[in-house]
């Protein structure tokens, strides 16, 4: 399965760990959003994942942010 995983800076470490584990399970992972723990806005990461899904480049999307609240309402 092709999975798009996006995060803001607060979810960067979780996204990295989740991506690594998902690859061990045989999934093709595409990461979006923060490239470090430097500030990065969660709406931008959510938009990148949404565009990948709408374009058919990925089958599923996972969004991670510091609290989970922002991504759930985006």
């Amino acid at each position: 399965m092709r999975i798009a995983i996006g995060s803001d800076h607060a979810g960067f470490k979780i996204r990295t760990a989740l991506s690594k584990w998902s690859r061990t399970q045989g999934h093709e992972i595409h990461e979006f959003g923060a490239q470090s723990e430097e500030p990065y806005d969660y709406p931008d990461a959510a938009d990148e994942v949404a565009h990948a899904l709408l374009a058919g480049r990925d089958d599923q999307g996972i969004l991670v942010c510091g609290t989970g609240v922002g991504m759930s309402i985006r």
Side-chain angles (χ1 to χ4, degrees):
M1 179 177 295
R2 298 169 304 171
I3 304 173
I5 304 177
S7 73
D8 64 359
H9 59 284
F12 176 73
K13 285 184 180 180
I14 294 171
R15 185 192 80 213
T16 302
L18 181 59
S19 295
K20 183 178 178 180
W21 179 83
S22 297
R23 285 185 180 101
T24 69
Q25 302 303 302
H27 300 292
E28 181 181 332
I29 303 302
H30 301 121
E31 294 186 63
F32 297 94
Q35 298 302 305
S36 69
E37 292 184 53
E38 293 297 314
Y40 191 95
D41 294 336
Y42 73 85
D44 295 335
D47 286 349
E48 291 178 71
V49 170
H51 287 292
L53 293 170
L54 290 170
R57 293 188 301 267
D58 291 297
D59 304 309
Q60 296 289 321
I62 299 172
L63 299 171
V64 182
C65 67
T67 64
V69 175
M71 290 295 198
S72 69
I73 62 173
R74 181 69 182 149

